[in-house]
Amino acid sequence: MRNSVSAKSDILDSYRYENTIFEVPLIQFSNPELLEKTRLVAEHLDDCYFYEFIGNEFSELKTFPFRISFDRQHGGGNDTYRIFEEKILNQNIVFSLVDSDKRDNKAELGTTSKQVLEKYEQHKGTSIIGCEILPVHEKENLFPSIIYEHFGNNPRKNALEQLKILENSDVSCLYFPYIDIKKGMNSSNYVPYFEGLFDIKHLIPKTEESRRNFDNEFVGEKEEFIQYCDEQQKLPKSERVNKYLIEPLSSNPLVNFNVEKEIDKLHQSIEQLTHSKAPQHIIERKKEKLNVLLNISKYLLDYQKEYFRIVGTKIKEWGLSN
């Protein structure tokens, strides 16, 4: 059994990864389900491709020159735990990864991750299964803004600007992991943990002259925002109006994002544009995007890079387990 791996980044201080040894009688391998691909259970199909990319590109198992292979399963969020248990009861080898939905570093897990974890605890003594709850709010917190800028699904310009400011601040590892990138930071999902956002220069406008002018943008000081949040809590939900500190980026910024396919598409596009003698600035733009994907580790935030190394190894181990 490998020793626990402890991450250096603050966000991962409490994170530990230990290999588990499964003691299984040889007769059990007469069951054909055990000889099939590991079932990778995630909330959405796009998530499965995302995790496979991490396992293939960031694993420490460099001495294994094999690409991982999973039977991808997805539960659409609320049904994830049911898919997980169904595969367990079918005696498959199963590995599940789900968002934590945590709103700060000490918050409780969200409903989906609690349900999946409960099923894992219930069956781990009698099945070959694994469970990984992301230590961040959701998988979108594992990519830097440059990915959304080049490959995001309809990202909003103001939100990108704010994410860049946040990730370039000295306290990015405190707040970037828990920001709800899809929904933004607003008066309904704000918690005191985020009060330091008001101290980050140029992130939140303090005057009307410095506002970005997106819908329901909050302008003012921390005390004013906290007062507004308190006032909204006293109103019926139907009458509340959300004010935003950070604009939502997109409802699904990583939809259909498959790194390997994107790299292939860019290679083909650059070749076609070069043969057709397209304007050089268009070709250079494509090359810039390709360079981001080929050197993605260079752009990751410290905690993202460290976590990719750890969880990538875990994913690859499960992807090779068949």
Side-chain angles (χ1 to χ4, degrees):
M1 180 178 292
R2 183 194 309 166
N3 291 330
S4 299
V5 178
S6 178
K8 298 175 183 177
S9 306
D10 292 342
I11 179 64
L12 300 175
D13 273 349
S14 61
Y15 183 88
R16 296 292 183 271
Y17 168 36
E18 297 180 358
N19 271 3
T20 301
I21 295 177
F22 296 92
E23 296 183 7
V24 181
L26 289 177
I27 189 64
Q28 190 165 339
F29 287 96
S30 63
N31 183 347
E33 281 76 12
L34 277 182
L35 302 178
E36 296 177 356
K37 293 179 182 178
T38 297
R39 271 49 174 180
L40 176 62
V41 178
E43 295 176 64
H44 305 284
L45 184 59
D46 293 335
D47 297 349
C48 293
Y49 288 111
F50 177 79
Y51 298 134
E52 287 184 31
F53 160 70
I54 296 175
N56 279 321
E57 299 301 324
F58 293 91
S59 167
E60 289 190 314
L61 302 178
K62 302 300 183 184
T63 56
F64 291 87
F66 307 107
R67 300 192 73 74
I68 57 180
S69 181
F70 286 105
D71 183 354
R72 308 176 190 97
Q73 305 285 328
H74 53 101
N78 294 337
D79 282 339
T80 305
Y81 79 100
R82 297 176 62 188
I83 299 295
F84 185 45
E85 185 172 45
E86 178 184 330
K87 300 306 172 185
I88 294 172
L89 296 178
N90 196 42
Q91 295 187 306
N92 296 122
I93 296 175
V94 193
F95 181 49
S96 181
L97 291 104
V98 292
D99 299 335
S100 73
D101 292 326
K102 291 172 66 173
R103 296 169 67 184
D104 63 61
N105 63 341
K106 296 182 179 178
E108 290 188 1
L109 296 176
T111 301
T112 298
S113 50
K114 278 184 178 179
Q115 291 171 330
V116 170
L117 189 58
E118 180 180 305
K119 295 302 178 184
Y120 170 74
E121 293 294 336
Q122 180 181 343
H123 296 285
K124 68 179 182 180
T126 56
S127 307
I128 304 178
I129 58 175
C131 177
E132 173 73 11
I133 308 298
L134 302 188
V136 296
H137 180 72
E138 54 192 348
K139 79 175 192 297
E140 282 75 15
N141 302 89
L142 294 175
F143 264 159
S145 61
I146 193 169
I147 295 296
Y148 299 115
E149 181 179 8
H150 287 299
F151 304 98
N153 176 43
N154 298 318
R156 296 181 176 91
K157 182 178 178 181
N158 288 315
L160 277 173
E161 179 185 345
Q162 289 185 291
L163 289 179
K164 287 179 184 179
I165 292 172
L166 179 58
E167 68 185 20
N168 288 322
S169 70
D170 294 334
V171 290
S172 62
C173 65
L174 292 179
Y175 303 121
F176 203 94
Y178 302 110
I179 290 285
D180 192 325
I181 289 175
K182 292 186 288 190
K183 295 181 179 179
M185 173 58 63
N186 58 64
S187 50
S188 68
N189 62 15
Y190 175 82
V191 291
Y193 177 82
F194 289 101
E195 64 179 15
L197 292 178
F198 289 90
D199 300 323
I200 299 175
K201 194 173 181 180
H202 304 308
L203 182 64
I204 300 169
K206 304 296 193 297
T207 64
E208 289 296 322
E209 292 74 22
S210 59
R211 70 180 305 144
R212 292 181 174 84
N213 289 315
F214 57 79
D215 290 344
N216 292 329
E217 177 184 22
F218 175 80
V219 178
E221 300 291 342
K222 175 176 63 178
E223 293 74 18
E224 296 174 277
F225 184 74
I226 293 174
Q227 181 180 349
Y228 182 82
C229 291
D230 291 340
E231 292 171 351
Q232 289 295 299
Q233 288 297 318
K234 298 174 183 177
L235 299 175
K237 287 187 177 181
S238 59
E239 297 179 15
R240 296 176 189 175
V241 177
N242 279 338
K243 290 286 186 178
Y244 287 84
L245 299 178
I246 296 179
E247 185 182 32
L249 181 66
S250 169
S251 60
N252 193 351
L254 289 177
V255 64
N256 298 326
F257 180 65
N258 183 315
V259 177
E260 293 180 349
K261 288 184 178 180
E262 288 291 343
I263 289 175
D264 289 341
K265 284 166 54 179
L266 285 167
H267 274 302
Q268 294 173 14
S269 180
I270 291 170
E271 184 177 353
Q272 292 171 357
L273 289 169
T274 301
H275 285 311
S276 64
K277 298 182 179 179
Q280 191 61 32
H281 72 276
I282 296 179
I283 298 175
E284 290 302 319
R285 176 63 174 168
K286 294 286 185 179
K287 287 183 177 179
E288 179 185 355
K289 295 178 68 171
L290 178 61
N291 181 66
V292 169
L293 290 187
L294 293 177
N295 300 280
I296 196 168
S297 182
K298 171 184 174 182
Y299 301 99
L300 295 175
L301 302 182
D302 287 344
Y303 79 85
Q304 295 169 343
K305 190 179 302 183
E306 184 68 14
Y307 183 61
F308 275 20
R309 178 184 65 81
I310 299 171
V311 78
T313 301
K314 191 172 187 178
I315 292 169
K316 190 159 191 176
E317 287 175 344
W318 282 95
L320 296 175
S321 64
N322 66 309

